[in-house]
Amino acid sequence: AYGELHFYYPFKFDNKYLAFIALLIVYHLTVNVGGMDLNRNDYRDVGYLSLISVSALYAICYFSKKIENSVAGSFLDKCGKESFHIMALQFVGFKCCALILMMLGINANIALLCPYAGNCNEWLLIYFLFGLLIPIMLISLFRKLKMLIIK
């Protein structure tokens, strides 16, 4: 549907005023009308769902176009391309983080199946970084070793 529509009218997502209005619509509807939960099919009505979806889509596409050629954009691009490996290896990253925390004397139980951060945002950020960066480093190392072996 988007491809057919894009063929007739190419969207550029470069209007900052429209992006600001879209953000206001999303903010207003979620704060004043209430959020939605698509997993439970819980939303007010189809008009609400359509308006908030299109507004959020425009705002996301606008900001995506803005960071497209930046360092953050290239990092997100790398994360998108490696998303399967990140998903598969994030558990290894969490275990590496817990192991390092245990070696530092911080009470981190390595036997837990999911990272325990409690109510601490700093621990959550550390586990997030380990769950993201360790898989990217492992797959990059694997690819470099693979190229050395193949040559």
Side-chain angles (χ1 to χ4, degrees):
Y2 171 73
E4 293 175 14
L5 188 60
H6 186 69
F7 178 75
Y8 293 114
Y9 180 77
F11 296 105
K12 295 182 183 175
F13 301 108
D14 59 353
N15 189 334
K16 63 183 173 185
Y17 301 112
L18 192 54
F20 181 72
I21 291 170
L23 279 176
L24 282 178
I25 290 171
V26 171
Y27 177 76
H28 174 74
L29 289 177
T30 52
V31 169
N32 293 329
V33 177
M36 64 177 137
D37 187 1
L38 295 180
N39 289 336
R40 289 188 287 162
N41 206 17
D42 181 23
Y43 53 90
R44 186 171 172 191
D45 56 28
V46 176
Y48 169 75
L49 178 65
S50 300
L51 182 61
I52 202 166
S53 297
V54 170
S55 299
L57 178 68
Y58 190 89
I60 289 169
C61 289
Y62 173 79
F63 288 112
S64 297
K65 291 286 276 184
K66 288 296 178 191
I67 67 167
E68 182 173 43
N69 297 319
S70 68
V71 175
S74 62
F75 179 72
L76 288 174
D77 182 46
K78 175 104 173 136
C79 289
K81 288 178 183 171
E82 303 295 349
S83 61
F84 178 77
H85 300 107
I86 291 170
M87 179 199 64
L89 296 172
Q90 70 182 349
F91 189 70
V92 174
F94 296 151
K95 293 301 173 187
C96 289
C97 183
L99 186 63
I100 290 171
L101 291 175
M102 283 176 54
M103 290 181 351
L104 292 174
I106 297 169
N107 190 13
N109 188 356
I110 198 165
L112 291 176
L113 291 178
C114 59
Y116 176 72
N119 292 328
C120 182
N121 291 333
E122 290 83 14
W123 290 121
L124 191 61
L125 179 63
I126 290 170
Y127 274 111
F128 170 75
L129 290 175
F130 268 82
L132 184 66
L133 297 178
I134 295 289
I136 289 175
M137 289 188 321
L138 286 175
I139 195 63
S140 297
L141 178 67
F142 173 77
R143 287 191 179 133
K144 287 181 183 178
L145 288 174
K146 182 179 166 186
M147 291 306 292
L148 286 174
I149 294 170
I150 290 176
K151 284 185 178 184

